[in-house]
Amino acid sequence: MSHIDAPAPAKPDSEHLPFKRWLAVVAVAVGTFLVVTAEQLPVGLLTSVGGDLGVSEGAAGLMVTVPGLVAAASALLVPVVIGRLDRRVVLLALITLMVAANVLSFLAPNFPILLASRFLVGVSIGGFWALAAGIAVRLVPDGHVPRATSIAFGGATAANVLGVPAGTLIGGLTDWRIAFLTLAGLGLLAVTALFALLPSIPASGSIRLGALFGLFGNPVVRAATMTTFLLVTGHMAAYTFISPILQDVSGISEDLIGPLLLVFGAAGIVGTFAAGAAAGRNVRATIVAVSVALTLVLVLFPLAGATQATGIAFLVLWGLAFGGVPVGVQMWIFKAAPDHAEAATALNTVLFNLAIAVGALLGGLVVDAASTTAVLWLAAIFTALTFLAVRTARRT
């Protein structure tokens, strides 16, 4: 294997880059797709898991809360703890941990064991996601960095819009345990690809917690990360319970949830590309538009989504709106801190995962104490607060 002791020097865009390096970048993106999918996989399986293991839908939401909290911590700590370890070894260890955790989920005889497996998933998610983009960039010369970065982040974006519906469809066609086992099998393929394609990647430096938190002094980074927290918290408070929402509010059969979440995912991909193009022209206006659209969907869903047709329509609009969140916020952060993109991205990863956990937890409490309608309105409160976060930042 070749060794990369420091980021590659700038080279002309026209220089030939070995195809194996692009395959390595894609393998990193696939790994990111799988670990982020592992985090959110239970979203579409709550009803079947709760029924099988004898827990309420709110309690079953802890399968999302636990890895989200752990991932937020590991995104901070893993880059610090690993010190000078070869990044190739670290990525392989983290994706292998994800595989083992999903096998344990498949075998779990009760809910506490299942939650223990979700804890391990959280460790894998935070560390892998925090390191993946920086590693992908080091695999290519400077002229190819934008494309490599897009591919690396594309894995997480694809997981947010496609991973969950695909897992839900597998669980609906077979059994929720098979969905976890399928993800473990795909993880083994990713381990094999990473082992074969990644060169040795020695640490180029160390990351200190103080440098990460110091970025909060940048008002735009602060506003962008708070925007991430508010939008993702609101989204996950409701989306974690999308299966009971569609059943209770819109009268949609449980058998249709998986296919409809694939529709949601497709809409999310469209929203991602649309928001990416719009953010290139005016990133703040794009984020405001996304937050307005998401808030309106969440407010109107319980009022006008009481039929199957309108419920499906609101689900599509929801996917379009949320698909623009990750790319819009990430572009805002890149513009705000171009010289600290890696640290700012790690900080945003922490807030993203913390928001997943908080949203799922609050949503579970509201679903158990009130109703699925109430959780939609709770979600809308969080997304509406985004306007305050955006207003605190100077124009970029």
Side-chain angles (χ1 to χ4, degrees):
M1 297 286 184
S2 61
H3 288 260
I4 302 177
D5 296 318
K11 299 179 183 178
D13 286 355
S14 58
E15 178 178 337
H16 174 71
L17 186 66
F19 183 60
K20 184 177 179 181
R21 284 301 177 92
W22 283 120
L23 289 178
V25 173
V26 171
V28 172
V30 170
T32 306
F33 170 83
L34 292 175
V35 295
V36 176
T37 297
E39 180 177 22
Q40 300 189 34
L41 181 63
V43 166
L45 305 172
L46 292 184
T47 301
S48 54
V49 172
D52 192 20
L53 298 182
V55 297
S56 69
E57 289 172 343
L62 290 173
M63 291 188 295
V64 180
T65 299
V66 168
L69 287 173
V70 176
S74 65
L76 277 178
L77 298 178
V78 167
V80 176
V81 170
I82 60 176
R84 311 291 299 184
L85 279 176
D86 189 320
R87 271 36 181 173
R88 175 179 183 268
V89 174
V90 175
L91 279 196
L92 286 170
L94 289 170
I95 196 77
T96 300
L97 178 62
M98 185 276 289
V99 171
N102 279 285
V103 171
L104 182 58
S105 296
F106 166 72
L107 297 172
N110 53 52
F111 192 63
I113 297 297
L114 185 56
L115 282 186
S117 74
R118 302 298 295 162
F119 181 95
L120 297 177
V121 166
V123 175
S124 173
I125 297 161
F128 197 102
W129 198 354
L131 295 173
I135 287 174
V137 165
R138 293 184 63 192
L139 292 170
V140 301
D142 287 354
H144 296 282
V145 162
R147 185 179 301 173
T149 303
S150 297
I151 293 172
F153 277 109
T157 301
N160 284 317
V161 299
L162 281 180
V164 171
T168 304
L169 183 61
I170 292 171
L173 294 174
T174 56
D175 179 78
W176 65 267
R177 293 181 186 273
I178 300 300
F180 285 107
L181 186 62
T182 301
L183 189 58
L186 293 174
L188 281 177
L189 295 178
V191 170
T192 303
L194 289 168
F195 183 83
L197 296 170
L198 277 184
S200 176
I201 308 177
S204 59
S206 58
I207 297 178
R208 292 182 172 85
L209 289 178
L212 290 175
F213 292 117
L215 286 170
F216 273 117
N218 181 321
V220 183
V221 171
R222 185 169 60 245
T225 52
M226 287 309 300
T227 295
T228 292
F229 180 79
L230 291 169
L231 287 177
V232 177
T233 297
H235 166 73
M236 288 305 298
Y239 186 64
T240 300
F241 305 95
I242 189 63
S243 178
I245 286 172
L246 290 174
Q247 294 175 66
D248 297 346
V249 176
S250 304
I252 293 173
S253 168
E254 183 180 355
D255 294 338
L256 293 177
I257 301 300
L260 286 178
L261 290 185
L262 283 175
V263 174
F264 175 94
I269 290 177
V270 174
T272 296
F273 281 104
R281 296 189 295 271
N282 189 327
V283 68
R284 281 170 55 101
T286 300
I287 292 171
V288 169
V290 165
S291 61
V292 168
L294 192 55
T295 301
L296 287 175
V297 167
L298 293 169
V299 168
L300 294 176
F301 202 126
L303 300 175
T307 68
Q308 291 188 9
T310 56
I312 293 171
F314 277 115
L315 185 68
V316 171
L317 293 174
W318 189 344
L320 285 169
F322 186 73
V325 171
V327 65
V329 175
Q330 192 60 56
M331 289 183 67
W332 199 16
I333 286 175
F334 280 157
K335 288 186 176 183
D339 297 329
H340 304 281
E342 183 177 350
T345 298
L347 188 62
N348 195 51
T349 300
V350 173
L351 269 294
F352 200 109
N353 283 285
L354 184 60
I356 289 173
V358 171
L361 177 61
L362 293 177
L365 293 174
V366 171
V367 165
D368 280 351
S371 66
T372 50
T373 296
V375 83
L376 286 164
W377 286 332
L378 169 71
I381 292 173
F382 277 98
T383 58
L385 288 174
T386 304
F387 307 129
L388 296 179
V390 174
R391 289 186 61 184
T392 64
R394 66 177 183 273
R395 293 193 173 274
T396 58

